[in-house]
Amino acid sequence: MTASVRRPANPENVAALVAAASGASVAVLGGLVVAGWLTVAVTLIQVVPGMPPMQYNTALGFMICGAALLAATLDLRRPTALLGGLAAIIGLATLVETLLQSNLGIDDLLVETYIFTGVSDPGRMAPNSALALSLGGLALLLLAWRPLSRSWHRWPALLGSIVVALGTAALVGYAAGVPHAYGWGNFNRMALHSAVGFSLLGGGIVGLAWNKAQSESGETPDWLPGLSAIAVISVTAFLWYALIGGGERESAVATITLCTGLLSALLLAWSLRAGQIAGRHARSLESANLTLHDEIDTRLRAEETMLQLAAIVESSNDAIFGTTLDGLIQNWNHGAERLYGYSRHEVLGKHVSLVHAEQLKDADLFQRIAAGERVSRLETMNLTKDGRKIDVSMTISPILDRTGQIVGASTIARDITDERIVDRLKSDFVGTVSHELRTPLSAIKGFLELVVDGEAGPINETQREFLDIAVRNSDRLGALINDLLDMSRIESDRLEMKSGPVDLAAVLADVGATFRHEAYTKGLVLREEVPELPLVRGDKSRLIQVFCNLVSNAIKYTPKGEIGIRAAPVGGGVEVIVSDSGIGLMPQERAQLFTKFFRGSNPVVTDSRGTGLGLVIAKAILQAHHATIDVESEPGEGTRFRVVLPLNGRAATGPPAA
């Protein structure tokens, strides 16, 4: 679902266009009149013979203000300030001349006056024109100044509205035949095209201030209703002043004009304010509508995703069911019905132990789930409705509610009975083949050694070298067969283990003695820190196998540096650390280190001999001793194996050695 909302034209752009058009029009108007004064084109100056002319300084002020307004539209602050200040100075100087009845010499400064009709002071602009020019110049100065206050744009807008009022009052006076509306007292009167120019100039200033306010807040400025009322009241006041000095009839018209203007100003301000409020409400509703549409779209997509996930769950061949943290079944898919034989209504609300063929520590398991842990590949035995026992691999994950709280557990169970049967057959086959290979291999090795010892007659050095190679490779083949046999026993849970007191210090001393010469030959230092240790329970030969594998790997994968064997008592057990300064392991290699047949990609590893079974067998032997093995390694910084063996055959824990 999509929502399409038609937006109106951007008011900011409209206001900026009005300001630019006003600036250009005012500049052109002033330029035409200046050209009229320079070329004696009276029509451009006076429009109609006998009417008040636009004085040269007024036309020059229009050119300056128009250029300043265009500069302000382009955000050229320095030219705007200079031109606006110049226009304000011209207007203020003329007002001073008028008020003080003096001559500052600015009226005929650039052009000598040659039009005397319709004026009382030749060459001097009308006082209302001077006031409008002064206010326009000050407004442009404010547009260029921009103080830090967010309401700064209301002041140039206020001055611009008064300029508009002066020009509009003069135009109404011309239209209504009221001379006092475009001329004050006995002073020069504002020309008709001057009134048009000031209306355009004031409108452009207000439009530009509106544009600045709109760009800062994104909304129509709050001062617009009040400003409109001020403009209407100003026009009304000028017209009332023009009419009040007449006879009784004009006084009545003045009173009606004043009342009508004030009422119109109030109605205009109220309507604009109401429009602003309605616009804000409309934008708020539009925003809420868009938000609602987005939420509906999100919910629809979420529902579609949920339906797809539900369809995937229902069509899965794996058993998928959900339980509470107390183990009560809440959901049961078709795969679970096929695997266990129970229909959905038969199991909902019952405890999940219904399908457990083996005693699982449900309380501990659900505590781990409640703590946010995910249990992967938990292999156990389940029970079907007809009493069959099946091997399953289970993955149990926490279920979270909308607030992120764990409220249940999701279980995916896969039947691995056939895989277990195949694994057992494979292990039996490997065990049988390996066992059958040991007998002829022992005979081959025995006879090779007899030949090397000269029992079959004298041999030369070349023959001895070839026979030594054959003996070494028969040893390698024997080690491989032993590893395969051990793996077969481990996978079929038939690994033979003896249990008795073991002097671990003696075991580590034997391991060190076995590999000391090999390390010395390779140029490595073998450091041993093995004090007197308490006895542990276990299988001595198997423990020798474990530590021989760890030390052998350390030597094999350390091109230079040292190998370390350290041991120390630790809470309820003994800790043994085998470390090296070798090639180290990548994070992804550490994750697969105890996987069958895994070997790293480092050239030192690929060039060396190995089956990738030693660490798997070592871990299985240690687990049979209730011991733990951890690894720490970084590429190029060596590897550190930590083994913790219990004293009494039960799990022992303790802080790692420093």
Side-chain angles (χ1 to χ4, degrees), residues 150-407:
R150 294 186 61 183
S151 60
W152 66 271
H153 29 63
R154 71 176 58 191
W155 304 113
L158 175 62
L159 297 178
S161 66
I162 297 175
V163 173
V164 171
L166 288 167
T168 304
L171 288 175
V172 173
Y174 275 109
V178 183
H180 289 294
Y182 54 88
W184 295 350
N186 296 320
F187 300 110
N188 288 352
R189 295 173 178 176
M190 183 185 294
L192 176 61
H193 42 338
S194 294
V196 173
F198 285 121
S199 298
L200 291 174
L201 176 62
I205 292 172
V206 172
L208 191 57
W210 185 348
N211 172 264
K212 301 298 183 184
Q214 188 94 8
S215 63
E216 289 183 6
S217 64
E219 295 183 354
T220 304
D222 292 334
W223 44 257
L224 186 61
L227 190 70
S228 302
I230 290 173
V232 174
I233 290 172
S234 299
V235 173
T236 302
F238 294 143
L239 292 175
W240 174 82
Y241 173 76
L243 294 170
I244 198 65
E248 183 178 347
R249 180 175 174 277
E250 289 187 358
S251 297
V253 173
T255 303
I256 295 172
T257 301
L258 181 63
C259 294
T260 304
L262 292 176
L263 181 61
S264 300
L266 292 175
L267 289 175
L268 178 61
W270 176 82
S271 62
L272 288 176
R273 187 61 180 168
Q276 284 183 328
I277 294 173
R280 287 174 183 172
H281 287 169
R283 287 191 294 273
S284 178
L285 289 174
E286 178 185 340
S287 177
N289 186 41
L290 290 174
T291 302
L292 182 60
H293 278 294
D294 290 341
E295 289 181 358
I296 292 173
D297 288 344
T298 301
R299 290 185 180 182
L300 287 175
R301 287 194 295 269
E303 288 178 4
E304 291 176 0
T305 302
M306 293 294 293
L307 290 173
Q308 291 174 356
L309 289 174
I312 292 171
V313 169
E314 286 299 316
S315 62
S316 174
N317 287 326
D318 293 337
I320 302 176
F321 52 92
T323 63
T324 65
L325 292 178
D326 296 328
L328 300 180
I329 299 173
Q330 293 183 312
N331 297 296
W332 191 259
N333 77 333
H334 290 308
E337 292 181 348
R338 289 191 296 268
L339 180 61
Y340 295 108
Y342 292 101
S343 64
R344 183 172 301 172
H345 72 272
E346 289 179 301
V347 297
L348 291 183
K350 295 185 179 179
H351 199 271
V352 71
S353 59
L354 175 71
V355 297
H356 289 173
E358 296 179 345
Q359 186 65 32
L360 292 178
K361 296 181 180 179
D362 290 330
D364 293 341
L365 187 62
F366 284 113
Q367 282 180 1
R368 293 166 61 187
I369 297 300
E373 184 179 346
R374 183 174 182 267
V375 180
S376 300
R377 298 179 182 178
L378 174 62
E379 294 188 0
T380 183
M381 190 171 288
N382 280 179
L383 193 65
T384 64
K385 183 178 180 181
D386 57 10
R388 290 183 299 108
K389 291 183 178 180
I390 56 175
D391 293 309
V392 295
S393 174
M394 304 174 69
T395 297
I396 309 172
S397 307
I399 298 176
L400 281 66
D401 63 10
R402 291 184 178 180
T403 64
Q405 297 294 320
I406 298 174
V407 295

Side-chain angles (χ1 to χ4, degrees), residues 517-551:
H517 179 71
E518 183 178 345
Y520 174 78
T521 303
K522 195 175 179 182
L524 303 175
V525 176
L526 179 60
R527 299 187 185 278
E528 300 175 62
E529 299 177 20
V530 183
E532 243 183 79
L533 299 171
L535 298 179
V536 298
R537 292 196 63 81
D539 188 326
K540 180 179 179 180
S541 62
R542 289 295 188 182
L543 291 177
I544 291 175
Q545 181 181 354
V546 169
F547 292 113
C548 281
N549 180 271
L550 295 179
V551 175

Side-chain angles (χ1 to χ4, degrees), residues 82 188 212 233 279 320 335 379 418-419 467 480 563 614 639:
L82 291 174
N188 288 352
K212 301 298 183 184
I233 290 172
I320 302 176
E379 294 188 0
D418 293 340
E419 296 176 18
L467 289 171
L480 175 59
I563 310 298
T639 304

